C-alpha cells in the first residue's frame, strides 16, 4: 500500500479517536451526538434537536478543546522527536535528551511562580518563554559540543544534552525549594496534564504549531539526504550545519511551547516517530505527518485513560506515557544492540 494511502487511513482513525475522546468521560455522550454538536458549532447548522444543552456544553466547552489540545501537543512532540532522531541519526534521541524539555520547564516554572506577563502578548508569554528557554538550552549544548568536538559528533551532542538536562533539573529543584507554597502545584504540573485547559490554550499553541510544522516540512528533502551522511549531503549541495541548526530551532518551537502548556510528557517523541518509520518507511515527506498523526492519537488515548481510570480523580498524563514508553524504550535499545 502506498504511504499516502496509509496517511489517509491514519487521518480517518485519528478523527475517530478524537470523537471517542470527546464522547467518553464521567457523562457518556454517543459519538453520533458528539459529531452533531461539533458540526452545528462549526457550520452553524441546527442539528442538536433532542440533545440536552448540558451535553452540548460538555462536548464543546470542556472535552473538545482538551482533546484537540492533547492531539496538537502530542503531534508537536512527535514531530520534534522525528526531527531530532533524523538529524542525530539516533533512534533513541529526543528533544528531552537534548535538554529542550528541561529548559522549557524551567522557563515556564519561572513565569508561573512570578506571574510575569509581557503586556503586548499577554498569555503568549508562557509558551514563548518555554520556547526561548528550550532554544537557549539547545544553543548551549551545541556550543559546548562544538568546542569539545569540532566535528560535532552525534554522541557528543547527546552526552552534553543529558548532562545539561541534569544541571537544569538541579536548578528547578532549587527553585521549587525556594517556593514551597507552590511546590505541590508545580510538581503536579511537571507530570503533565490537560485538566481545565480550554480553547484559550488551543489558541496559544496554534501559532507555534504552525510555524514549527511549516519550518520542518520545508526541510524534509534535506533530512532524507542527511541520512546518507554529512559528506554525501555536502557533495549534493546541502549546507549541513545551517540545515541542522534550523531544524533544531523548529523542533524546539514545537517542543518548547508544548512543554510550557502541558508539562513534561515523555516518550511520545520517541514512540510515535519510531512507529511512523515502521509504517511509511524512511521518507520524511511521510514520516513527519505520520508522526504527527500517531503522536496526537497516542496523547488523546493516554489522556482518556488518565481521566477515566480512577474517575472522578485524574492521573498525570506523563505517568501513563511513561508506563507505556519505558518498556518501549528498552525494546528499541536492546533491539538496536
Amino acid at each position: 500500500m502506498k504511504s499516502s494511502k496509509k496517511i489517509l487511513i491514519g487521518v480517518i482513525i485519528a478523527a475517530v479517536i478524537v470523537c471517542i475522546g470527546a464522547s467518553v468521560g464521567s457523562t457518556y455522550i454517543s459519538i453520533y451526538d458528539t459529531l452533531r454538536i461539533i458540526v452545528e458549532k462549526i457550520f452553524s447548522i441546527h442539528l442538536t434537536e433532542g440533545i440536552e444543552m448540558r451535553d452540548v456544553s460538555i462536548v464543546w466547552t470542556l472535552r473538545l478543546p482538551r482533546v484537540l489540545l492533547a492531539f496538537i501537543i502530542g503531534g508537536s512532540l512527535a514531530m520534534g522527536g522525528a526531527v531530532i532522531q533524523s538529524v542525530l541519526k539516533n533512534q533513541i534521541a529526543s528533544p528531552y535528551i537534548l535538554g529542550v524539555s528541561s529548559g522549557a520547564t524551567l522557563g515556564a516554572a519561572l513565569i508561573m511562580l512570578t506571574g510575569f506577563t509581557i503586556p503586548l502578548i499577554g498569555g503568549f508569554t508562557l509558551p514563548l518563554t518555554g520556547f526561548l528557554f528550550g532554544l537557549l538550552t539547545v544553543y548551549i549544548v551545541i556550543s559546548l559540543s562544538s568546542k569539545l568536538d569540532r566535528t560535532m559528533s552525534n554522541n557528543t551532542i547527546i552526552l552534553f544534552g543529558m548532562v545539561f538536562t541534569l544541571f537544569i533539573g538541579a536548578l528547578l529543584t532549587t527553585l521549587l525549594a525556594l517556593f514551597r507554597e507552590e511546590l505541590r502545584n508545580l510538581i503536579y504540573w511537571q507530570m503533565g496534564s490537560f485538566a481545565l485547559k480550554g480553547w484559550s490554550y488551543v489558541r496559544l499553541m496554534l501559532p507555534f504549531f504552525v510555524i514549527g510544522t511549516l519550518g520542518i516540512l520545508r526541510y524534509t528533502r534535506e533530512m532524507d539526504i542527511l541520512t546518507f551522511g554529512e559528506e554525501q549531503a555536502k557533495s549534493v549541495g546541502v549546507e549541513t550545519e545551517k540545515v541542522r541548526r534550523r531544524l533544531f530551532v523548529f523542533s524546539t518551537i514545537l517542543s518548547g511551547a508544548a512543554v510550557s502548556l502541558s508539562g513534561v510528557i515523555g516518550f511520545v517523541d520517541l514512540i510515535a516517530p519510531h512507529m511512523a518509520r515502521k509504517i511509511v518507511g524512511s521518507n520524511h515527506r511521510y514520516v513527519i505527518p505520520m508522526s504527527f498523526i500517531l503522536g496526537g492519537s497516542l496523547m488523546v488515548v493516554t489522556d482518556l485513560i488518565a481521566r477515566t481510570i480512577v474517575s472522578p480523580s485524574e492521573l498525570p498524563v506523563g505517568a501513563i506515557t511513561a508506563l507505556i514508553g519505558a518498556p518501549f524504550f528498552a525494546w528499541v535499545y536492546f533491539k538496536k544492540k
Side-chain angles (χ1 to χ4, degrees):
M1 186 185 293
K2 290 182 178 180
S3 296
S4 55
K5 288 186 178 178
K6 292 178 180 176
I7 290 177
L8 180 61
I9 293 172
V11 170
I12 295 170
I13 294 173
V16 172
I17 290 174
V18 167
C19 289
I20 292 173
S23 300
V24 178
S26 56
T27 301
Y28 176 73
I29 300 168
S30 71
I31 294 178
Y32 177 64
D33 285 347
T34 299
L35 277 173
R36 290 166 65 193
I37 293 168
I38 294 172
V39 171
E40 177 181 305
K41 289 292 183 181
I42 293 176
F43 299 104
S44 299
I45 303 172
H46 186 65
L47 296 172
T48 57
E49 188 175 350
I51 301 176
E52 293 184 22
M53 289 308 297
R54 183 197 63 172
D55 293 346
V56 175
S57 180
I58 288 173
V59 169
W60 188 254
T61 307
L62 298 178
R63 290 185 188 164
L64 187 61
R66 174 175 181 153
V67 169
L68 289 179
L69 180 67
F71 196 95
I72 294 171
I73 284 182
S76 298
L77 291 172
M79 287 192 289
V83 170
I84 297 298
Q85 289 174 14
S86 174
V87 172
L88 297 182
K89 294 193 284 293
N90 191 320
Q91 292 186 4
I92 59 174
S94 70
Y96 180 82
I97 289 178
L98 275 185
V100 174
S101 299
S102 300
T105 302
L106 180 62
L110 285 171
I111 293 298
M112 284 188 273
L113 288 172
T114 61
F116 174 75
T117 302
I118 301 173
L120 290 177
I121 62 174
F124 286 100
T125 303
L126 182 62
L128 181 63
T129 305
F131 157 62
L132 291 175
F133 271 69
L135 186 63
L136 178 63
T137 305
V138 171
Y139 176 77
I140 293 172
V141 168
I142 299 294
S143 298
L144 291 176
S145 301
S146 64
K147 288 185 183 302
L148 183 70
D149 180 0
R150 288 185 180 277
T151 63
M152 286 179 62
S153 71
N154 297 331
N155 288 337
T156 305
I157 294 174
I158 292 173
L159 177 63
F160 268 104
M162 295 179 71
V163 170
F164 212 69
T165 295
L166 293 174
F167 176 71
I168 293 176
L171 287 178
L172 193 59
T173 302
T174 305
L175 192 66
L176 293 176
L178 294 174
F179 291 86
R180 288 180 180 276
E181 64 277 9
E182 299 289 342
L183 188 63
R184 186 176 181 277
N185 291 336
L186 277 174
I187 288 178
Y188 191 80
W189 167 78
Q190 275 185 273
M191 296 178 184
S193 175
F194 298 104
L196 304 176
K197 289 172 181 171
W199 289 110
S200 62
Y201 278 80
V202 177
R203 287 191 286 271
L204 289 177
M205 184 63 202
L206 273 179
F208 296 91
F209 166 71
V210 172
I211 294 171
T213 302
L214 292 178
I216 287 172
L217 292 176
R218 161 73 178 76
Y219 291 102
T220 52
R221 174 180 166 275
E222 285 80 357
M223 281 192 279
D224 288 341
I225 297 173
L226 278 170
T227 58
F228 295 104
E230 292 207 18
E231 293 304 320
Q232 182 77 12
K234 286 178 181 176
S235 68
V236 296
V238 176
E239 298 176 82
T240 55
E241 290 305 316
K242 181 180 175 181
V243 170
R244 288 175 77 183
R245 290 178 191 278
R246 288 188 178 181
L247 286 171
F248 277 135
V249 170
F250 288 124
S251 64
T252 303
I253 290 174
L254 292 172
S255 303
V259 169
S260 65
L261 292 175
S262 65
V264 180
I265 302 174
F267 293 106
V268 175
D269 49 7
L270 173 69
I271 297 172
H274 191 83
M275 292 174 64
R277 290 190 181 91
K278 290 288 184 186
I279 295 171
V280 298
S282 57
N283 188 332
H284 288 85
R285 183 181 171 191
Y286 302 113
V287 169
I288 299 300
M290 184 55 87
S291 296
F292 171 71
I293 293 168
L294 293 175
S297 301
L298 178 62
M299 191 67 82
V300 172
V301 171
T302 52
D303 180 53
L304 183 60
I305 294 171
R307 63 186 163 91
T308 56
I309 195 168
V310 292
S311 180
S313 299
E314 285 193 20
L315 292 174
V317 180
I320 305 297
T321 58
L323 286 173
I324 299 171
F328 185 85
F329 181 90
W331 176 70
V332 172
Y333 180 80
F334 287 112
K335 187 179 178 184
K336 190 178 177 184
K337 286 284 185 182

